[in-house]
Amino acid sequence: MTLYIILCFVALCAGMALSVYAFGTGGKRKRIFQDIYFSAEETDGVGVLYTKTGEYSAVLKIENPVQKYSADIDSYYDFTHLFTALAQTLGEGYAIHKQDIFVRKKFASEPADGQEFLSASYFRYFKGRPYTDSLCYLTITQEAKKSRLFSFDNKKWRDFLVKIRKVHDQLHDSGVQARFLNKAEASEYVDRYFAMNFKDRTVSMTNFKADDETVSMGDKRCKVYSLVDVDCAALPSMIRPYTNIEVNNTEMPVDLASVVDNIPDAETVVYNQVIFLPNQKRELAMLDKKKNRHASIPNPNNQMAVEDIKRVQEVIARESKQLVYTHFNMVVAVSAGADLQKCTNHLENAFGRMGIHISKRAYNQLELFVGSFPGNCYALNEEYDRFLTLSDAAMCLMYKERVLHSEETPLKIYYTDRQGVPVAIDITGKEGKNKLTDNSNFFCLGPSGSGKSFHMNSVVRQLHEQGTDVVMVDTGNSYEGLCEYLGGKYISYTEERPITMNPFRINREEYNIEKIDFLKNLILMIWKGSDSQIPEIEFRIVEQIIIDYYDAYFNGFTRYTDEQREVLLKNLFAAASRKNPNKPPREVDEMVRKQIEVLEARRAALKVTELSFNSFFDYSFDRLEQICTENDITTISYSTYSTMLQPFYKGGAYEKILNENVDSALFDETFIVFEVDAIKENKKLFPIVTLIIMDVFLQKMRIKKNRKVLVIEEAWKAIASPLMAEYIKFMCAPVKVAS
């Protein structure tokens, strides 16, 4: 009896030893994580994960190309085309495993030295606000032959290295940011997935448990939701890469799987999208066998299956589509006390509205969790975890959107995103890492009271804080408080103290086409008004007067050149011949030559000793008549010209505006506000004064080399004028950027 007991005890101990050796002390569930990876190595900067079953994988960190809520439908289709192309590149024996990770965080900004008070208050207001951050990883895995013995295949290894580089290049060429993880980063990525922790600096893995409903680690509980039940693939008959939601009575495109980023109570969500690329000939042969098997049993259900298979075969034959096996699941991690049923209900309702019914029979929680480890996708069961479909359809179920992050740019203007947390935007579009334009102009449009001025106060404050000179045209005292706060220069237009400058006072170096255009627009605006359609001939005449005015000042005029005299002779002779058809040509010629002498003497008598509007008016009135005579122009009214310009001439109501030099100290000011509310309804003065202010800005651009911005409040009143519109267009041209 004793011997029998001893033998039983020895047998029991031996069994326990074998169990510990095979499965570890905690049973198979603890041992299973030790059997995933063989090692992680680094090859040319690429971290390669080796599994115990012989597969090796490379991991790319990427950024999804579609900006959420961008309403860019084409970008969703571009994504599906890109990943379909990637599948074609990789071909048989590879798997694409994309993981989109959504992490619930609290907003925290790094304190900046010397941060301005309003900026500090702004970030303090948002501190601790919850939001969802996103990460995206793409794992390329090469399948290994299932065998007890593994041997190194140099050909397959070289093929793997070539193809992962091709994938990287395709992503890069399509504008997708992508980089390979190195060995350390790949190992950390695996550890973070195991712990379901993508936000803490350090990661710990304790108290791991698994049952039929959940997987638990530490203070978290996870549930894995399989998107499709392979026994009953409940998908719509036709799917597209996006679906529509209603926003303010307008259809807005969002990702088909957009619900995964806002699951209630979820701390971390990992959306696993796995595409297996099988041998196409083998799959087509199996599909044909399946069709024949259904056709052999004549009943309606089988006949429908036959028709479906035929349609798939036709699509493959005509459009060269690719058959793939797919698996989609969501790992939802919540705190230990949270109600997972709430998450389940949310997902079932959200996907159900799109005609997608998630699997309710995912009892293999541990298998799904382990099979979703980076590089371990081939552990997913072929029988009940994968389903066959076309590559285009599979790509529609992949997640394509990215959460908006702050841009990498030296110029940071903060806005709140749709989650209500600040993100930095380069509003110029040309200073950040991704350069979008050479022209940094924009406008702010909205109804009265919608917050345009409030928004611009915030923008210009941030611009000024980052070393930008600001010039503003204000109506309604919208920027008086900000100007005082920043210690800027606030200039308010009144009749007693109008905004003045002498736009005509320039030196030789400043005399160029740009200045001529400005003065031409200014004179025409005074003469013809801001709303008039100006004939081309009047543009030409005013331009010629300005050129002659500065020529008289810089060089002086004594006589016509031979070329000018010859042109005048031809023009005047033709005009005189028309008026005196009976006169002999010789007499006409003699008369014309005498007329040229008179014109020459009159022009020589015109002197310009100083540059101002007053001297320009004196010069231009006489010169206008001469130009009309020289060119036989009879449509110009000299009296109208004189009457319209008179108010800005000495003794007129606005004599100071264009005759007194601007305060030179303005060019050293970094924040200037011109308040023109008093004249905003004056159709004559408002565009003229605005034009003068823009010329001040133009001079600042020439003098100072730092970043500058011009803000025009109520700009619609300015651009309503064709002349002002043209000048603003000229001001906003890329060539105007100071170098």
Side-chain angles (χ1 to χ4, degrees), residues 68-232:
K68 194 171 184 177
Y69 301 122
S70 64
D72 184 5
I73 293 175
D74 290 340
S75 60
Y76 290 94
Y77 285 100
D78 291 341
F79 177 94
T80 60
H81 297 154
L82 170 62
F83 271 76
T84 301
L86 294 182
Q88 293 282 357
T89 298
L90 291 170
E92 178 189 352
Y94 283 86
I96 301 172
H97 182 187
K98 186 169 180 285
Q99 283 191 324
D100 285 278
I101 303 161
F102 307 93
V103 186
R104 201 65 176 161
K105 296 181 178 179
K106 290 185 177 180
F107 178 77
S109 65
E110 295 290 332
D113 295 333
Q115 194 173 48
E116 189 260 337
F117 171 76
L118 287 178
S119 290
S121 301
Y122 175 84
F123 290 113
R124 189 163 57 248
Y125 174 79
F126 290 102
K127 187 177 181 181
R129 181 170 293 193
Y131 72 101
T132 299
D133 197 8
S134 68
L135 300 164
C136 184
Y137 296 93
L138 185 68
T139 304
I140 309 298
T141 303
Q142 188 185 61
E143 186 180 14
K145 291 182 179 179
K146 298 298 181 287
S147 171
R148 291 191 176 186
L149 297 174
F150 301 105
S151 59
F152 176 73
D153 189 331
N154 189 55
K155 186 178 178 182
K156 288 189 66 177
W157 170 248
R158 289 200 309 271
D159 183 72
F160 173 76
L161 293 178
V162 169
K163 286 186 174 178
I164 62 172
R165 295 291 184 187
K166 284 184 178 180
V167 168
H168 176 271
D169 292 343
Q170 280 183 269
L171 290 169
H172 184 270
D173 293 343
S174 300
V176 177
Q177 296 183 30
R179 67 173 183 86
F180 286 106
L181 300 188
N182 58 33
K183 177 185 175 182
E185 291 171 329
S187 298
E188 183 185 354
Y189 171 42
V190 170
D191 291 342
R192 289 190 177 278
Y193 175 80
F194 188 15
M196 277 291 118
N197 188 340
F198 292 91
K199 64 179 178 180
D200 295 331
R201 187 165 294 181
T202 57
V203 178
S204 61
M205 293 164 280
T206 58
N207 301 328
F208 189 91
K209 298 177 184 177
D211 55 41
D212 290 341
E213 296 292 334
T214 60
V215 177
S216 304
M217 66 287 287
D219 58 352
K220 293 188 182 71
R221 287 196 305 149
C222 300
K223 188 173 178 65
V224 188
Y225 298 89
S226 186
L227 191 60
V228 177
D229 186 348
V230 296
D231 292 333
C232 182

Side-chain angles (χ1 to χ4, degrees), residues 255-275:
D255 195 280
L256 198 64
S258 63
V259 298
V260 301
D261 67 357
N262 60 355
I263 300 173
D265 296 335
E267 292 185 356
T268 304
V269 177
V270 180
Y271 181 39
N272 291 293
Q273 310 129 73
V274 189
I275 310 293

Side-chain angles (χ1 to χ4, degrees), residues 649-661:
Y649 187 61
K650 54 190 173 188
Y654 312 125
E655 62 174 326
K656 294 181 180 179
I657 292 179
L658 300 175
N659 287 293
E660 293 187 6
N661 293 335

Side-chain angles (χ1 to χ4, degrees), residues 211 219 248 401 440 457 491 590:
D211 55 41
D219 58 352
N248 296 330
E401 295 177 340
S440 53
N457 265 284
I491 303 170
E590 187 177 344

Side-chain angles (χ1 to χ4, degrees), residues 671-687:
F671 197 96
I672 309 170
V673 177
F674 294 96
E675 170 56 55
V676 294
D677 191 62
I679 57 170
K680 67 179 182 181
E681 302 301 332
N682 190 318
K683 291 186 177 181
K684 190 177 191 67
L685 275 183
F686 179 73

